[in-house]
Amino acid sequence: MPSTPAIRADRGQPSSQAGRVALNRGFLLVCLVATNFAVLLLAVLLISIAYKGLPWLFDFASIKASFSEGGDGFAGFKHWFRWEFFTEFTSRKAKSAGIRAPLWGSVWVCAICALTALPVGVGTAIYLEEFAPRNRVTRFIQTNIRNLAGVPSIVYGILGLTAFSRLFRVFGADEAWSIGDPESLFYLQLPFGQGVLAGGLTLMLVILPIIIIASQEAFRSIPNSLREASLALGSTKWQTVWNVTLPAAIPMIMTGSILAISRAIGEAAPLLVLGVPLFISNTPINMMSDFTILPMQIYNWASRPQEDFHGIAAAAIIVLLVVLLTFNAIAVFIRQKLHRSLA
Amino acid sequence: MSTPASPTPASPHPAVPFGQLRKPEAGNEALRPDPNAGRRSAISAKAFSSWYGSFQALHSLSMEVPVNEVTALIGPSGCGKSTFLRWMNRMNDMISSARAEGTLDLHGTNLLAPSTDVVELRRRVGMVFQKPNPFPKSIYDNIAYGPRLHRSMGRSDLDDLVEQALKAAALWNEVKDRLRASALGLSGGQQQRLCIARAIAVGPEVLLMDEPCSALDPRSTAAIEELISQLSEQYTIVIVTHNMQQAARVSDRTAFFYEGRLVECDETERIFTRPKHKQTEDYVTGRFG
């Protein structure tokens, strides 16, 4: 029987047990401090915003009255809010200023952004993952999309200004061509100018790479065995995508897209370049209407010297945060619910 | 097996066969194939070679797959048996580096020709995979998936077809009360029978099975094996297996592959009792592999 050489694991000096334990503890401490630092900063930020902004959203006197003797308790909750903050346009006086214009502007712009970015982004992902040949051209496109996701959003603003707002100046001056009644919903002008359409398309550019990458990840996570099963039954590639791959990928696509759209709601920089007006006293009525958006209104108010404007800026921040957190909660909910049904 | 709740009498086969190939009725002597007619080939390979990039996976092999018989492909891992199987319905088209030379005929037409309609080919040559891969849909929708791709049929016709396919795959009695439930809730063995039902619901002539039992427990394996023998009355079956006992149990003919070459292909009984080649004998007796 051949003898196996004994493995000598007892060479060298034994390392210090106490030292290893101390290092372990030390590292744990560093990590804890790092985590709590971030949480603490966020807490300070939220508290200071709530402190400044909540009085502009809620009518504390009315809440107090509801719960004092003779009050109507929760029945009177309608009077707790300062509804005028949502129904009024901005004003030179903070007391009578509201976010009606930027709120509706954000809704219009994000709706256009979502409706254009989703089909284009998911379509691109379907092509790249399911149809494109694995060659140099595809890899080039792939790399470029990944790079685009890291481009500062203000750069997209410049692109949006050139491509959508001015349409590369092929029509010469502004409002070179238009159809329909400017006061109705059906009105189109070329170039798009500073309307919600130009704004939405510019934001689409910002989030398109994110949506494409998220959708690609979604398609990549679908096991190949499902594609094979479908193809082996004699389906075409498109039938496989439509009936098997896309339905299975939709939860992940939705999660990524909702997060991307919630980023679009918070973007101010690209629309700043577009030349969005700050003081506006009407809500959009068609694709060409002037608009402003919440982040820009916040920036405008926060940069004024008066203390009261800082208050309504904080109140607008709270509204923006609530919208963003709602979107993120929906994304988490979809991920939880639909992932479970797939597994 | 007992089917007390089934409306049709307990028969291992559905009343209506799927696909165009219909086994001649028993008793109709004129249509009963003579022993040599059974040698009619569904698939025949001549000087067939295959590459992945520069690696040659199959070396100029020639063999016949007779109609309505079970042909088993055996051999150690990496011998090319799965590659050969996946060429029979051009699943290798999904691998961009894969290419083949020689001829591979399905009923006399070369299925490697560029003019071959791959979609139609795969409808005629169905496939069951190693791991059960039901769609994340209901049991009903899994079976109806294939038929819906190829033709539009009425609700009741489709219901009928689903029932027959499930009966043919010996799954009907277990799932008839929960056709709308997710297929992912079935056990591994049931899922694999579902995949077989799904494959035969489009009416194929040939069924390819790539180690269909390797992910299953012994009881489910026994069920699938019984199913294979039943299905072979209607379908030409090619099965890749690592399990030599399985090849011996279910197949009529066995082909032994070794390092990309077809060593021997003959009646299963012959391969396992008196093979012509020493290599085959060593493999089937468990001396290597």
Side-chain angles (χ1 to χ4, degrees), chain A residues 224-236 239-240 243-244 341-343, chain B residues 86 91 94 119 122-123 127 129 133-137 145 149-150 184 198-199 202:
Chain A
N224 236 346
S225 63
L226 284 185
R227 291 188 188 90
E228 286 189 329
S230 175
L231 290 172
L233 288 168
S235 72
T236 60
Q239 284 172 323
T240 300
N243 295 312
V244 177
S341 70
L342 242 185
Chain B
R86 289 169 64 91
M91 282 311 273
M94 284 177 81
V119 167
R122 288 177 184 152
R123 194 196 61 69
M127 192 164 196
F129 296 86
N133 54 357
F135 300 124
K137 299 171 187 284
Y145 183 83
L149 292 175
H150 299 291
L184 300 175
R198 184 174 66 185
V202 292

Side-chain angles (χ1 to χ4, degrees), chain A residues 19-85:
Chain A
R20 283 197 294 180
V21 171
L23 189 65
N24 186 35
R25 275 212 197 108
F27 195 71
L28 179 68
L29 195 72
V30 170
C31 290
L32 271 177
V33 168
T35 312
N36 286 317
F37 181 69
V39 173
L40 198 74
L41 268 189
L42 185 67
V44 168
L45 194 72
L46 287 179
I47 289 168
S48 78
I49 286 171
Y51 180 76
K52 271 195 216 160
L54 284 180
W56 295 91
L57 285 176
F58 294 98
D59 189 345
F60 286 137
S62 175
I63 296 175
K64 219 177 201 172
S66 284
F67 290 104
S68 60
E69 257 173 280
D72 44 5
F74 285 99
F77 75 94
K78 265 187 202 159
H79 307 291
W80 299 354
F81 297 99
R82 282 186 68 242
W83 294 108
E84 59 267 30
F85 187 67

Side-chain angles (χ1 to χ4, degrees), chain A residues 48 130 319:
Chain A
S48 78
E130 307 285 329
V319 174

Side-chain angles (χ1 to χ4, degrees), chain A residues 17-343:
Chain A
Q17 183 71 15
R20 283 197 294 180
V21 171
L23 189 65
N24 186 35
R25 275 212 197 108
F27 195 71
L28 179 68
L29 195 72
V30 170
C31 290
L32 271 177
V33 168
T35 312
N36 286 317
F37 181 69
V39 173
L40 198 74
L41 268 189
L42 185 67
V44 168
L45 194 72
L46 287 179
I47 289 168
S48 78
I49 286 171
Y51 180 76
K52 271 195 216 160
L54 284 180
W56 295 91
L57 285 176
F58 294 98
D59 189 345
F60 286 137
S62 175
I63 296 175
K64 219 177 201 172
S66 284
F67 290 104
S68 60
E69 257 173 280
D72 44 5
F74 285 99
F77 75 94
K78 265 187 202 159
H79 307 291
W80 299 354
F81 297 99
R82 282 186 68 242
W83 294 108
E84 59 267 30
F85 187 67
F86 296 93
T87 56
E88 290 298 317
F89 292 107
T90 185
S91 156
R92 276 178 291 115
K93 288 180 288 236
K95 290 253 188 311
S96 53
I99 55 167
R100 180 164 173 185
L103 193 60
W104 280 104
S106 281
V107 168
W108 272 76
V109 166
C110 283
I112 292 168
C113 167
L115 290 178
T116 49
L118 270 178
V120 177
V122 176
T124 309
I126 289 177
Y127 173 72
L128 287 176
E129 284 303 310
E130 307 285 329
F131 290 94
R134 297 264 172 272
N135 59 20
R136 219 176 280 173
V137 178
T138 313
R139 266 202 302 280
F140 178 74
I141 296 173
Q142 197 85 269
T143 314
N144 266 301
I145 290 171
R146 270 168 211 275
N147 285 337
L148 283 177
V151 168
S153 55
I154 196 154
V155 176
Y156 288 109
I158 297 167
L159 180 59
L161 179 70
T162 317
F164 304 127
S165 254
R166 295 180 178 160
L167 284 180
F168 306 102
R169 285 265 191 250
V170 286
F171 292 89
D174 293 344
E175 288 176 58
W177 182 89
S178 69
I179 186 169
D181 176 11
E183 300 300 316
S184 79
L185 176 62
F186 305 101
Y187 173 65
L188 189 69
Q189 86 179 29
L190 291 176
F192 298 148
Q194 273 106 43
V196 284
L197 183 61
L201 291 177
T202 305
L203 283 184
M204 173 200 80
L205 293 179
V206 178
I207 66 168
L208 201 51
I210 309 173
I211 290 191
I212 294 173
I213 291 170
S215 308
Q216 276 189 289
E217 296 295 333
F219 283 109
R220 235 171 270 165
S221 74
I222 307 302
N224 236 346
S225 63
L226 284 185
R227 291 188 188 90
E228 286 189 329
S230 175
L231 290 172
L233 288 168
S235 72
T236 60
K237 263 188 172 178
W238 168 245
Q239 284 172 323
T240 300
V241 168
W242 184 249
N243 295 312
V244 177
T245 335
L246 187 61
I250 273 180
M252 269 182 83
I253 294 176
M254 288 299 289
T255 313
S257 302
I258 290 172
L259 292 180
I261 291 164
S262 70
R263 177 179 164 188
I265 298 174
E267 280 289 355
L271 300 185
L272 200 69
V273 182
L274 225 54
V276 166
L278 280 170
F279 200 95
I280 224 171
S281 53
N282 57 313
T283 53
I285 49 167
N286 58 42
M287 292 291 193
M288 301 302 140
S289 300
D290 282 348
F291 70 100
T292 187
I293 51 168
L294 274 173
M296 288 191 58
Q297 187 68 70
I298 291 166
Y299 170 70
N300 177 253
W301 282 339
S303 57
R304 295 195 191 185
Q306 296 92 333
E307 193 66 29
D308 278 359
F309 277 104
H310 298 173
I312 56 172
I317 288 174
I318 292 171
V319 174
L320 190 60
L321 276 179
V322 168
V323 172
L324 291 181
L325 291 179
T326 311
F327 266 71
N328 287 2
I330 293 171
V332 170
F333 176 75
I334 291 177
R335 188 167 49 206
Q336 295 291 324
K337 189 176 160 77
L338 292 176
H339 264 213
R340 220 179 300 136
S341 70
L342 242 185

Side-chain angles (χ1 to χ4, degrees), chain B residues 101-152:
Chain B
E101 270 173 25
T103 57
L104 190 58
D105 287 354
L106 174 66
H107 289 301
T109 49
N110 189 1
L111 54 83
L112 297 175
S115 58
T116 304
D117 179 0
V118 181
V119 167
E120 172 64 9
L121 168 71
R122 288 177 184 152
R123 194 196 61 69
R124 290 173 64 190
V125 184
M127 192 164 196
V128 177
F129 296 86
Q130 183 170 0
K131 250 184 77 191
N133 54 357
F135 300 124
K137 299 171 187 284
S138 71
I139 293 169
Y140 184 95
D141 285 338
N142 261 276
I143 308 293
Y145 183 83
R148 278 175 181 152
L149 292 175
H150 299 291
R151 50 184 67 238
S152 64

Side-chain angles (χ1 to χ4, degrees), chain B residues 190-213:
Chain B
Q190 287 173 325
Q191 285 188 5
Q192 194 62 302
R193 274 180 283 154
L194 182 79
C195 291
I196 294 174
R198 184 174 66 185
I200 58 185
V202 292
E205 298 155 34
V206 182
L207 259 187
L208 309 176
M209 299 188 169
D210 192 356
E211 299 179 41
C213 302

